[in-house]
Structure formats: structure tokens, C-alpha cells
Amino acid sequence: NVQVYSKVADVSNLSSDQENVGKLYVTNIRVVWFSDKSDNYNVSVPYIQMKVIKIRKSKFGSALVIESSQRSGGYVLGFRAMPLERLQGIFKEIQSLYLVFSASPILGVDVTNVDLSVSYGR
């Protein structure tokens, strides 16, 4: 089951060399961003596809950067939220949930180990 941990308004997506303001949702399996202006402009990155999560400088100031693995396209996504403390809080939450997910991935299937060994009596 997907659990939404945070809904953060006024987060800018920094793709296309411009800021697009929207909302960032942090869940137990992915990070999702939706544009406030366009219903068809959104980004969804599952933790299983994340390679790097960090804060770095951009031409728009400090930005949360999420890099996806090469297998999932090798995208570099930037997000900005003001003030810096707010951005750092978002980063820490995503980093923490990524670590929890990595330790016990949710892959959409429940698996139960069953002992199928057979013993033969003599």
C-alpha cells in the first residue's frame, strides 16, 4: 500500500532551464511532483530507480537533486523550495524513506518463504 508522508506546496521543478511551480509528494515507494499549471506535466521517481539524492547549487540557488539509474533513463532532476531549511527537511525525509525502502523494498508482491523440504522416514 502506498502511504503519503508529505505533501509540499510551492516546490519548483528546475527542468527546461526554467522554474515550474508545483506540489511534491513524498511516499513510502516514490517521490512525485505535479505542476500547478499543467495537469500533464509531472514527475514520478520510485526509490528503486534512484541512484543519487543530494542538495547542490544550481543557477536558481540550492536545489534538491535526484538522479535516476542508467537503467531507468539516467535522468537528473532538480527541485527548489524556499527557504533552504525547508529544502533540507525535504531532502532528509526522502533520504530516510529511501534507506527504509532499500532495506526492505516494496515491489508490489507479497512473498512468503515456505519450507518445501521433504523428509523421508526409515
Side-chain angles (χ1 to χ4, degrees):
N1 291 340
V2 176
Q3 297 172 334
V4 177
Y5 286 95
S6 294
K7 296 176 188 174
V8 188
D10 300 322
V11 175
S12 297
N13 181 325
L14 304 178
S15 344
S16 319
D17 280 339
Q18 62 185 13
E19 288 187 80
N20 292 294
V21 179
K23 292 175 186 63
L24 188 78
Y25 292 76
V26 180
T27 78
N28 58 325
I29 59 170
R30 68 181 63 238
V31 174
V32 182
W33 177 87
F34 295 97
S35 170
D36 285 346
K37 293 182 181 177
S38 176
D39 290 340
N40 63 352
Y41 186 37
N42 57 72
V43 176
S44 176
V45 185
Y47 294 122
I48 199 164
Q49 293 180 353
M50 290 183 189
K51 178 179 157 188
V52 175
I53 308 162
K54 62 185 174 184
I55 292 180
R56 76 171 188 213
K57 296 286 181 197
S58 76
K59 71 180 188 180
F60 299 102
S62 294
L64 168 69
V65 175
I66 298 174
E67 293 181 30
S68 71
S69 65
Q70 284 304 113
R71 293 183 97 179
S72 63
Y75 296 102
V76 178
L77 306 168
F79 302 95
R80 189 170 84 88
M82 295 298 287
L84 178 59
E85 294 78 21
R86 185 170 173 237
L87 184 69
Q88 290 169 333
I90 295 167
F91 165 74
K92 287 177 185 174
E93 181 176 40
I94 292 171
Q95 185 179 47
S96 174
L97 288 167
Y98 171 81
L99 292 172
V100 169
F101 178 88
S102 297
S104 182
I106 300 167
L107 303 174
V109 211
D110 289 331
V111 177
T112 304
N113 291 327
V114 178
D115 183 6
L116 297 176
S117 61
V118 178
S119 74
Y120 297 95
R122 289 191 176 201

